[in-house]
């Protein structure tokens, strides 16, 4: 079994190191706050005294840190020679590309990645993760990475995994903000959250049936065609306006619904009123090059 090092033992690093140990891999760990390694050490992991020693202990090191800057702060460049690193920390695609160049410049091989589930779901059938970087490095470590979750290699460009990660997380974070904002509308009107949120969960799970699957949406966006008379820009835009006016009448923060209404206003002004709501794509600056 390949020895694996895990650096960064927040909830994600701890869960990943635990999965590797359970699968029988020799695991070396390092964390700035050493106590976060205690449980893993009790389960059989080896605690390294320094980051350099941790990287030297295994051909493969997984980083799970706040962002890429932390990697530069703690990893001595001369530790990289002949080693493979997989950075599963969040950052921008450009930061990931820079880091791949930095590692290659010091003789290391580098994959970037983004895990798409929270720590309790690591090593469950629901877990999946994006990777990008040299295909041969991914192929060499795919069996280990599979222990974290279903791995999907997106290509050689080291920025792709972070691009997919951030794009998915945009949907996730915006949805979470809208959940809280919508709840504020209801609670400001004197209705307890518990009477509202279960209905919203029903709405969330119904969205794919309402808007079509990803392939249908992609086809419309790629073709730039938005026919349809069910969910037109005019109808949805009127609702976006009602949401903003309701927000204002209750004195709740208006930033999120104002941004959404502005998409519809722009689409209507551009003549897309009778098109399907997907026509908003055409009026987002930068979308069509
Ligand atoms: P945490 O914030 O709990 O842990 C961050 C890790 O970075 C800790 O090990 C922390 O060390 C370390 N760290 C931060 N700053 C420094 C520093 N200056 N020097 C040394 N070490 C430092 O994060 P998570 O485990 O939740 O997440 C790790 C990564 O995974 C993040 O990039 C996150 O975006 C991503 N992710 C998280 C998910 C989640 O649900 N939590 C899901 C998918 C991805 P210390 O313990 O000493 O503070």
């Amino acid at each position: 079994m390949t020895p694996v090092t895990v650096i960064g033992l927040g909830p994600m690093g701890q869960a990943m190191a635990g999965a590797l140990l359970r699968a029988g891999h020799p695991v070396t760990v390092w964390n700035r706050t050493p106590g976060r390694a205690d449980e893993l050490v009790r389960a059989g992991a080896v605690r390294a005294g320094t980051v350099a020693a941790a990287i030297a202990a295994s051909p493969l090191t997984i980083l799970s840190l706040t962002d890429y800057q932390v990697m530069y702060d703690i990893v001595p460049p001369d530790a990289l020679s002949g080693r493979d690193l997989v950075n599963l920390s969040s950052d921008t695609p450009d930061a990931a590309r820079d880091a791949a160049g930095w590692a290659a410049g010091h003789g290391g091989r580098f994959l970037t990645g983004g895990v798409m589930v929270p720590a309790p779901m690591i090593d469950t059938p629901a877990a999946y993760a994006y990777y990008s970087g040299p295909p041969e490095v991914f192929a060499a470590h795919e069996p280990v990475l599979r222990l974290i979750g279903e791995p999907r290699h997106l290509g050689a460009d080291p920025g792709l995994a972070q691009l997919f990660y951030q794009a998915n997380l945009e949907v996730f974070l915006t949805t979470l903000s809208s959940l809280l904002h919508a709840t504020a509308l209801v609670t400001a009107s004197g209705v307890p959250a518990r009477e509202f949120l279960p209905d919203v969960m029903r709405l969330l799970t119904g969205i794919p049936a309402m808007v079509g699957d990803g392939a249908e949406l992609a086809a419309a966006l790629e073709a730039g065609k938005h026919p349809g008379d069910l969910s037109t820009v005019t109808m949805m835009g009127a609702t976006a306006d009602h949401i903003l006016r309701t927000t204002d009448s209750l004195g709740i923060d208006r930033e999120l619904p104002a941004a959404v209404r502005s998409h519809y206003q722009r689409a209507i002004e551009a003549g897309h009123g009778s098109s399907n709501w997907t026509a908003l794509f055409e009026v987002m600056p930068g979308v069509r090059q």
Side-chain angles (χ1 to χ4, degrees):
M1 283 274 187
T2 320
V4 184
T5 289
V6 179
I7 292 177
L9 299 174
M12 295 298 284
Q14 289 188 34
M16 292 189 281
L20 295 167
L21 280 171
R22 284 193 297 280
H25 286 272
V27 175
T28 298
V29 292
W30 184 92
N31 194 61
R32 175 181 61 180
T33 307
R36 276 180 126 174
D38 289 352
E39 205 171 308
L40 290 163
V41 169
R42 277 195 291 275
V46 172
R47 191 192 323 254
T50 63
V51 170
I55 294 174
S58 313
L60 171 65
T61 291
I62 292 173
L63 302 168
S64 179
L65 302 160
T66 306
D67 57 26
Y68 273 53
Q69 184 56 48
V70 178
M71 174 185 70
Y72 295 119
D73 291 346
I74 66 172
V75 174
D78 57 7
L80 296 174
S81 183
R83 303 279 102 177
D84 290 350
L85 264 66
V86 180
N87 195 334
L88 297 179
S89 316
S90 173
D91 215 308
T92 64
D94 283 345
R97 291 181 185 113
D98 290 346
W102 171 77
H106 293 95
R109 302 196 302 176
F110 195 83
L111 285 177
T112 61
V115 181
M116 294 309 302
V117 294
M121 287 169 70
I122 293 285
D123 189 24
T124 70
Y128 64 108
Y130 296 123
Y131 296 91
S132 62
E136 66 279 10
V137 183
F138 175 75
H141 299 301
E142 195 266 350
V144 171
L145 301 176
R146 187 164 289 281
L147 297 170
I148 295 168
E150 179 74 31
R152 180 173 169 204
H153 185 247
L154 297 168
D157 172 0
L160 284 176
Q162 282 305 311
L163 184 67
F164 269 56
Y165 179 80
Q166 301 309 342
N168 275 276
L169 268 286
E170 182 196 347
V171 174
F172 186 54
L173 297 191
T174 309
T175 303
L176 298 189
S177 284
S178 72
L179 270 180
L180 300 181
H181 187 274
T183 303
L185 296 186
V186 171
T187 56
S189 307
V191 180
R194 65 179 171 274
E195 289 192 21
F196 169 67
L197 281 169
D199 281 346
V200 178
M201 294 307 166
R202 190 173 166 187
L203 173 85
L204 278 182
T205 54
I207 286 177
M210 293 182 218
V211 304
D213 66 17
E216 288 170 65
L217 272 180
L221 300 187
E222 282 168 11
K225 302 232 180 303
H226 311 283
D229 50 16
L230 289 177
S231 302
T232 64
V233 170
T234 300
M235 181 279 285
M236 301 276 270
T239 302
D241 186 56
H242 301 154
I243 295 166
L244 185 59
R245 283 163 51 201
T246 304
T247 298
D248 286 342
S249 74
L250 292 164
I252 309 272
D253 173 73
R254 75 196 310 270
E255 226 170 326
L256 191 56
V260 173
R261 189 184 67 168
S262 80
H263 297 158
Y264 286 94
Q265 274 179 339
R266 254 182 274 152
I268 290 166
E269 284 161 14
H272 295 292
S274 59
S275 301
N276 192 43
W277 66 273
T278 50
L280 267 58
F281 198 57
E282 306 301 330
V283 296
M284 291 179 176
V287 165
R288 300 277 181 214
Q289 301 302 328

